Amino acid sequence: MKRRQLLTAAGLGLGAVALSACSDQTASTGESPTQPEQRFRWKMVTSWPQNFPGLGTTAQRFVETVNSLSNGRLTVQVFAAGELVPALEVFDAVSSGTAELGHSAAYYWKGKSPAAPFFTAVPFGMNAQEMNAWLYEGGGLELWQQAYASMGVLPLPCGNTGVQMAGWFNKEINSLDDLRGLKIRMPGFGGEVLARAGATTVNLPGSEIFSSLQNGVIDATDWVSPYNDLAFGLHQAAKYYYYPGWQEPCAVLELSINQQAFETLPEDLQGIVREAARSTNQFMLDEYTRRNADALDTLVNEHQVQLRRLPDEVLDRLRELSKEVLEETADADALNRQVWDSMEAFREKVWAYHAISEKTMYDLRG
């Protein structure tokens, strides 16, 4: 019995020495015991139909990028419009924490932040290249995040359609008179401008556009551009396809992030979310440049869509009204004024260069 006790004690003593040695080695090398990786499971709500080409697939692309770069430490489940919340309640869902992420467009949230529409598109304003430069290099993103800070939402650019189309019409637009009484779906500043021109504007989610146009609930609609318009089959519900997209020279898609949830992520995962959004932003613009060209060819040459340019008289008046709307919106709120002045100053400086670079090259190459 005594011998067994001695051996046991000796064994415990050797074990203690071994543990002490391991502890000393850890301290000397600076290594720490391996901890199990923390994993995060998030939800994303969107304003788009499930896997809708371009818009829905862009949201899915962002999610796949995050999952891949994080090696599964952060995985996101996507909920299309209506699956978890309605299409136009994405912002509320993210702000309240119902979902950690949202994918939509900022101009839907004017009721939440009067500055929000500036961060999607400005009539007769900057194109995608200029808008991205203002957001990332000209202080625009900081202003955008300031606009949402009190609501606990962190916004990031996460897609851009490029220049859009003026929309689908069941009535010809030959003069300003043709806008009066026109029932048209158009959100954002563009809708306010058309209302001043005498139109009746409504805000509908994408899922309701085709039936509303086909049944005469509306006379006209903007949606996006040939790629998305063809996917929705809008050529089957309207006769005329008008350009240019004066109301949206670009359209920034928004990744909204619940600020509190974002702050729980380790720094490397925060960086992955930011970079995935930025790469997705450029990916979407590249995709739309190609697919819009293909889709327009299909609409015109296979479906015999009547492609029309808005008359100069109409565009000139819409430009005047746009300036009125934007200045009045800026005057209504201190942050609005800061955002609009920043955008205008940046656009003017960039245009001084683009007038002799981008525009000259377009004119030269024909």
Side-chain angles (χ1 to χ4, degrees):
M1 177 65 74
K2 289 182 179 179
R3 182 174 180 274
R4 184 179 301 143
Q5 290 173 341
L6 288 171
L7 288 174
T8 301
L12 289 172
L14 289 173
V17 170
L19 287 172
S20 176
C22 287
S23 177
D24 291 343
Q25 183 177 7
T26 298
S28 65
T29 61
E31 296 177 358
S32 58
T34 301
Q35 298 293 328
E37 285 186 338
Q38 189 175 5
R39 293 179 177 267
F40 299 84
R41 301 290 180 266
W42 279 11
K43 296 184 290 292
M44 172 191 272
V45 290
T46 81
S47 293
W48 328 122
Q50 183 71 42
N51 293 320
F52 183 69
L55 302 175
T57 54
T58 291
Q60 188 62 46
R61 195 261 185 192
F62 164 81
V63 165
E64 291 170 357
T65 301
V66 167
N67 185 56
S68 175
L69 293 179
S70 70
N71 197 29
R73 290 167 56 210
L74 172 58
T75 57
V76 183
Q77 182 179 1
V78 179
F79 294 87
E83 290 185 340
L84 189 60
V85 298
L88 301 184
E89 294 183 15
V90 166
F91 187 93
D92 287 337
V94 175
S95 178
S96 67
T98 299
E100 291 82 3
L101 296 170
H103 195 254
S104 190
Y107 59 16
Y108 292 136
W109 324 133
K110 183 180 180 181
K112 310 295 179 184
S113 169
F118 286 108
F119 301 104
T120 301
V122 169
F124 300 96
M126 292 187 284
N127 66 13
Q129 181 179 349
E130 294 164 336
M131 189 72 164
N132 281 335
W134 175 66
L135 288 169
Y136 290 120
E137 299 291 334
L141 184 54
E142 289 81 0
L143 290 170
W144 193 0
Q145 293 173 351
Q146 182 181 339
Y148 287 5
S150 65
M151 294 170 283
V153 175
L154 176 71
L156 292 174
C158 192
N160 200 309
T161 66
V163 181
Q164 297 200 359
M165 296 290 284
W168 295 88
F169 292 70
N170 272 320
K171 297 180 178 179
E172 289 189 78
I173 305 299
N174 296 313
S175 69
L176 289 166
D177 288 339
D178 295 319
L179 295 179
R180 296 186 179 97
L182 185 80
K183 294 177 294 183
I184 182 169
R185 179 266 183 196
M186 185 174 286
F189 289 129
E192 294 183 48
V193 171
L194 282 178
R196 293 197 182 196
T200 299
T201 58
V202 297
N203 193 9
L204 297 172
S207 59
E208 298 178 22
I209 291 176
F210 182 89
S211 60
S212 297
L213 191 60
Q214 188 178 50
N215 297 331
V217 175
I218 54 177
D219 304 311
T221 184
D222 84 323
W223 177 225
V224 186
S225 45
Y227 176 30
N228 289 133
D229 295 357
L230 178 62
F232 258 7
L234 296 181
H235 59 284
Q236 300 173 47
K239 297 179 181 179
Y240 309 106
Y241 199 25
Y242 275 93
Y243 72 95
W246 60 274
Q247 78 285 6
E248 295 189 37
C250 75
V252 179
L253 278 298
E254 172 186 88
L255 178 72
S256 50
I257 311 170
N258 180 278
Q259 181 73 50
Q260 187 173 0
F262 188 71
E263 290 172 356
T264 66
L265 295 179
E267 286 188 11
D268 65 324
L269 290 184
Q270 290 182 4
I272 284 172
V273 170
R274 293 182 186 276
E275 290 307 312
R278 185 155 188 170
S279 69
T280 300
N281 191 57
Q282 185 62 48
F283 171 85
M284 183 177 179
L285 183 59
D286 296 343
E287 179 187 31
Y288 268 61
T289 299
R290 175 178 69 88
R291 291 188 180 273
N292 278 330
D294 291 341
L296 182 63
D297 180 74
T298 299
L299 287 168
V300 172
N301 296 314
E302 294 185 22
H303 298 295
Q304 286 72 54
V305 164
Q306 297 188 48
L307 188 62
R308 303 285 181 89
R309 187 183 189 277
L310 288 171
D312 288 340
E313 172 200 11
V314 171
L315 290 169
D316 290 344
R317 181 57 179 155
L318 293 176
R319 186 184 295 107
E320 293 172 358
L321 292 173
S322 294
K323 291 178 181 178
E324 291 180 10
V325 168
L326 293 166
E327 281 298 325
E328 289 177 17
T329 302
D331 286 340
D333 180 87
L335 181 59
N336 288 8
R337 171 54 66 186
Q338 189 178 357
V339 171
W340 179 229
D341 287 350
S342 175
M343 293 185 83
E344 277 287 85
F346 190 87
R347 184 187 65 81
E348 290 176 9
K349 183 177 289 187
V350 169
W351 175 242
Y353 172 63
H354 278 180
I356 64 167
S357 57
E358 304 285 336
K359 183 179 184 301
T360 300
M361 282 305 305
Y362 278 154
D363 292 343
L364 283 173
R365 79 184 187 190

